[in-house]
Amino acid sequence: MPKNSKVVKRELDDEVIESVKDLLSNEDSADDAFKKSELIVDVQEEKDTDVEEESEVEDERPAWNSKLQYILAQVGFSVGLGNVWRFPYLCQKNGGGAYLLPYLILLLVIGIPLFFLELSVGQRIRRGSIGVWNYISPKLGGIGFASCVVCFFVALYYNVIIGWSLFYFSQSFQQPLPWDQCPLVKNASQIVVEPECEKSSATTYYWYREALSISGSISESGGLNWKMTVCLLAAWVMVCLAMIKGIQSSGKIMYFSSLFPYVVLLCFLIRALLLNGSTDGIRHMFTPKLEIMLEPKVWREAATQVFFALGLGFGGVIAFSSYNKRDNNCHFDAVLVSFINFFTSVLATLVVFAVLGFKANVINEKCVAENSEMISKLLKMGNISQDIIPHHINLSAVTVEGYHLVYDIIEKVKEEEFPALHLNSCRIEDELDKAVQGTGLAFIAFTEAMTHFPASPFWSVMFFLMLINLGLGSMFGTIEGIITPIVDTFKVRKEILTVICCLLAFCIGLIFVQHSGNYFVTMFDDYSATLPLLMVVILENIAVSYVYGIDKFMEDLKDMLGFAPNRYYYYMWKYISPLVLLSLLIASIVNMVLSPPGYNAWIEDKASEAFLSYPGWGMATCISLIVLAIFPVPVVFIIRRCNLIDESSGNLASVTYKRGRVLKEPVNFEGDDASLIHGKIPSEMSSPNFGKNIYRKQSGSPTLDTAPNGRYGIGYLMADMPDMPESDL
């Protein structure tokens, strides 16, 4: 052995000891680095590296191509036919400009907060309505199924309206328009105007007799109306083709279907403002009637309009937002879309009453001409003295103001005899006070006004193309509210499900294209959505605020958005919105009970509408629509409460997803509201897939080769729960 062998041996031993120390120190630092990188118990600040994991996770779910596409989809869904033919009617009926104040107040109290709530849960959990409410509380999972049922009911009759618009659109390429004049019929000895048309009007006759070929009551089906059947088929084919690839196909169509109606509305507004009488209509519209604003009915109807205008409870809002990134500012989206919806309603109201003002002016001039001729005859017959007529007025070419002057003089002079003269006051306000809404506005009043437009076929094509696009935008959201939850929950192919859904809806929708189909549209519109949707949204609010916990939800929002939402939403969600919604539900039930259930039937002999009550089977159908829509809520609650269906996975652990990391919470064997997302079987798990990359190397940490069940793998992660299967993480 060399002389210095002991020294060499000591140095070698020291190097070995140092190597072991280095290894242990590296192991400890790696251990600490791993503990801090993925699975944490204490809340820590967000790091830029958190985004790496999230990007892999979010690639698994389809996403919007751009923020603009998403906003247009939400706007297209919320802005629908109701903005054009319901809001102007309510505005006129409930105090004109004064109606805007209660509408704005209720938009802030229930509209924006609840819209924000639905956007938040959809974006956070990234599932459709069924998955969202299952995760928040499995016992309240029926809320999602109820939303799907309501969406299906609404889609059935809503697409019929698109079919009607398609029919009118196809008939608009004619000069003159087919509803411009009453048709002539050959009598025994002469050609006369169709009596039914002569008693009503050309547009009214065309709507009821030519388009709908309507029967006298809901009990008289009359068979299928083949023209409307073809139009309904075309409408469902359009919806199916647009939705078959999900947001990848419908998203691109949104650029046209959402923006085109605004182009048409602006064109109509500019054109209408150049016509006589348009300013009279707008002035009449926005003249506030403050005394009406204090009536409870005004606030109830404003709340209902806010509720339905934003599409709350349908599931479409949740479905669209589920394709967003988790850090998207959905609060900004909620405020933006809500006010776009409001200003669209105001714009549509301006257009409608500018056009109706022009129509009223045309009718008023015709009335003045007819009554001036009648006064001339009365002067010749001696019933009225020539001396009372001002000398500067020529009855053969009298102005509206001149006629009103003559009318007032005759009324004063002939006090008792005046009613026998059968003269009409011909005031434009009387014509504007004839409130119309819904199909009566779109297919009768507005079409009649367009017949007086120069180049009327062009404006008719534009108007009905606008209605088609408004309807399609809402239909996309409604169908998405059905397809997305079912695909997420049952893992079926979206293309096959879309085709089956549209085919089934078309077959059931044939009841709406019978000769009595319009009455069924009224029935479904009145009973299939109003009460069920109110109940659904009340339960949504309760589920988030009280079952899951409003404080926990606010913390989730802070984590997701990167800032804490205003405390205003805390008080709205917890106290104000539930009370307002409950009051609205009670008021709606009372109004439904007090209002006799029935419909307006077209009576051919009288050429006018008459109110008829539903037969016994019709009443049973109305009740069934309400019951079927809300039925999933108690059924799912009972099944989950009584454990009638065995869920093999169990709820042993729950995880809450935060940006790029997972927060493991204490196991809760009791409640269903432990966290926003509960542990589920693989088919029900939310979008993050832990199997791909459950842990991540932190910047600055040593490079380690780790095995799935080694020191830094699953075995280490689950050490405190040895009996937990890997699939439940």
Side-chain angles (χ1 to χ4, degrees), residues 10 250 525:
R10 191 182 301 115
S250 65
D525 191 36

Side-chain angles (χ1 to χ4, degrees), residues 350-365:
L350 283 171
V351 171
V352 166
F353 276 89
V355 172
L356 292 183
F358 163 69
K359 171 177 170 275
N361 187 70
V362 171
I363 293 174
N364 199 53
E365 288 178 352

Side-chain angles (χ1 to χ4, degrees), residues 675-691:
S675 69
L676 195 60
I677 303 181
H678 295 265
K680 296 289 177 185
I681 59 177
S683 63
E684 294 179 338
M685 286 187 69
S686 57
S687 54
N689 184 351
F690 301 115

Side-chain angles (χ1 to χ4, degrees), residues 28-94:
D28 291 337
S29 63
D31 194 9
D32 292 339
F34 173 74
K35 289 176 182 177
K36 293 177 182 178
S37 66
E38 183 63 30
L39 188 63
I40 62 173
V41 175
D42 297 323
V43 177
Q44 65 178 23
E45 293 183 359
E46 297 289 339
K47 294 182 174 60
D48 294 338
T49 53
D50 291 338
V51 180
E52 297 171 9
E53 174 91 2
E54 188 182 44
S55 62
E56 290 186 19
V57 165
E58 294 191 349
D59 285 342
E60 297 176 8
R61 187 172 182 82
W64 298 103
N65 291 335
S66 66
K67 181 66 175 283
L68 176 61
Q69 191 180 86
Y70 165 68
I71 293 296
L72 289 177
Q74 290 286 17
V75 169
F77 176 51
S78 65
V79 175
L81 298 172
N83 296 76
V84 174
W85 68 31
R86 177 71 177 166
F87 185 89
Y89 162 77
L90 291 175
C91 206
Q92 177 196 20
K93 176 185 172 186
N94 296 317

Side-chain angles (χ1 to χ4, degrees), residues 65 416 526 546 576 602:
N65 291 335
E416 297 180 358
D526 290 342
Y546 296 99
I576 307 300
W602 179 254

Side-chain angles (χ1 to χ4, degrees), residues 514-646:
Q514 303 175 96
H515 292 276
S516 59
N518 187 45
Y519 307 137
F520 284 97
V521 171
T522 302
M523 176 191 289
F524 271 67
D525 191 36
D526 290 342
Y527 292 96
S528 69
T530 307
L531 290 183
L533 279 180
L534 277 172
M535 295 178 190
V536 163
V537 177
I538 289 172
L539 289 172
E540 288 181 357
N541 199 339
I542 292 172
V544 170
S545 300
Y546 296 99
V547 179
Y548 175 66
I550 189 64
D551 294 308
K552 193 185 298 183
F553 186 63
M554 294 294 284
E555 284 298 317
D556 289 332
L557 286 179
K558 182 179 179 180
D559 177 79
M560 180 174 71
L561 299 175
F563 63 89
N566 195 292
R567 293 291 289 179
Y568 169 81
Y569 292 103
Y570 178 92
Y571 296 110
M572 288 296 109
W573 287 329
K574 190 168 185 178
Y575 303 111
I576 307 300
S577 294
L579 288 175
V580 173
L581 287 172
L582 195 60
S583 302
L584 181 58
L585 176 63
I586 294 170
S588 299
I589 292 173
V590 170
N591 182 64
M592 191 171 287
V593 170
L594 295 179
S595 303
Y599 59 99
N600 288 319
W602 179 254
I603 309 302
E604 184 176 356
D605 297 336
K606 299 179 180 178
S608 63
E609 290 183 335
F611 184 82
L612 298 180
S613 297
Y614 287 117
W617 61 266
M619 284 298 302
T621 305
C622 294
I623 296 171
S624 299
L625 289 174
I626 298 173
V627 172
L628 284 173
I630 206 65
F631 192 60
V633 175
V635 168
V636 172
F637 180 83
I638 292 170
I639 289 174
R640 295 275 167 81
R641 183 72 180 83
C642 301
N643 294 322
L644 299 180
I645 295 180
D646 181 32

